[in-house]
Amino acid sequence: QVVLSRQYGSEGRFTFTSHTPGEHQICLHSNSTRMALFAGGKLRVHLDIQVGEHTNNYPEIAAKDKLTELQLRARQLL
């Protein structure tokens, strides 16, 4: 089952939070041909995976969404 599928141009960035516990797989595909990579082309992938309850930057979320302290605590509980 595909939970999230995204396509980007030469650069892209996204954040995804799974609400389903268990094993997840991450698949990355390039639309570049092998010949382009062998001819000196570059393919750079930065993958930053954070897991656990402390992965969200709650002060940043509170500032962005203009949450009160109570609203922020409720979001953390969710």
Side-chain angles (χ1 to χ4, degrees):
Q1 175 186 6
V2 175
V3 178
L4 176 69
S5 177
R6 298 268 173 100
Q7 292 184 358
Y8 294 97
S10 61
E11 292 185 20
R13 181 179 187 169
F14 71 94
T15 300
F16 173 71
T17 302
S18 172
H19 298 287
T20 307
E23 183 176 316
H24 291 74
Q25 294 181 356
I26 298 172
C27 303
L28 304 172
H29 300 275
S30 170
N31 61 357
S32 297
T33 64
R34 289 184 184 201
M35 295 304 287
L37 291 175
F38 288 127
K42 294 181 180 179
L43 176 64
R44 180 178 293 169
V45 176
H46 175 81
L47 185 61
D48 181 9
I49 300 176
Q50 298 177 357
V51 296
E53 63 185 81
H54 301 293
T55 59
N56 293 321
N57 184 342
Y58 286 107
E60 182 180 298
I61 292 170
K64 178 182 158 204
D65 294 344
K66 298 180 179 144
L67 301 176
T68 66
E69 185 70 24
L70 182 58
Q71 291 170 322
L72 179 62
R73 296 292 178 215
R75 183 165 298 181
Q76 286 175 307
L77 289 172
L78 290 173

